[in-house]
Amino acid sequence: MTVTLVNPDGLPRPDVYRQLSIATGSKLMFLAGQVARDAQGRPVGEGDLAAQVEQAYLNIGTALAGVGGSFDDVADLTIYLVDWTPDKMPLLGEGVARAAAKLGVDPVKPITLLGVAALGEPDLLVEIEVTAVID
């Protein structure tokens, strides 16, 4: 494995993400923000945050596999959510859990969560970008 996840002593120990990743490897991958579009570019989960999160994570898995990587290689995720409020956390978690089950991965990584006013297209509720290290 090229990425080790850590919650250092002296920092909070959240259940849904890790504070830090230590990456060793020779190939960095910076994945553009993934959204709720299928392989043909069709919208998935219109108005359904959990479905859109799930599709974005599935797209991440597809991109990683396409370059010889896996979700284990992910060092960091940045999640952009439209009109974010804390009451949407269960829907975010549901989408992540469904994708993780389909991909057979542990989705707990260092994550930055940002609330935004809008994304590139009006039907999008979430966009997720990834940095990974692949040996």
Side-chain angles (χ1 to χ4, degrees), residues 2-135:
T2 60
V3 178
T4 303
L5 303 175
V6 179
N7 273 326
D9 289 338
L11 292 178
R13 295 183 179 273
D15 293 330
V16 295
Y17 68 93
R18 297 297 173 261
Q19 295 284 7
L20 169 65
S21 65
I22 302 167
T24 57
S26 57
K27 184 170 29 174
L28 291 177
M29 184 193 91
F30 301 93
L31 180 60
Q34 296 300 297
V35 297
R37 297 285 185 263
D38 66 14
Q40 290 72 42
R42 294 180 300 240
V44 174
E46 191 168 343
D48 182 341
L49 179 59
Q52 289 199 19
V53 169
E54 177 182 5
Q55 184 63 47
Y57 266 78
L58 294 175
N59 290 348
I60 291 165
T62 298
L64 289 163
V67 296
S70 73
F71 211 85
D72 288 338
D73 300 314
V74 171
D76 182 57
L77 296 105
T78 301
I79 302 176
Y80 303 89
L81 285 155
V82 174
D83 297 326
W84 174 253
T85 56
D87 64 311
K88 294 179 182 175
M89 186 62 84
L91 294 172
L92 172 62
E94 178 184 335
V96 170
R98 291 191 327 221
K102 286 182 180 177
L103 293 169
V105 300
D106 178 358
V108 178
K109 306 287 180 182
I111 293 174
T112 300
L113 176 63
L114 299 169
V116 297
L119 293 168
E121 298 178 43
D123 65 310
L124 297 175
L125 302 174
V126 64
E127 185 167 338
I128 306 170
E129 61 184 25
V130 170
T131 301
V133 180
I134 303 169
D135 273 335

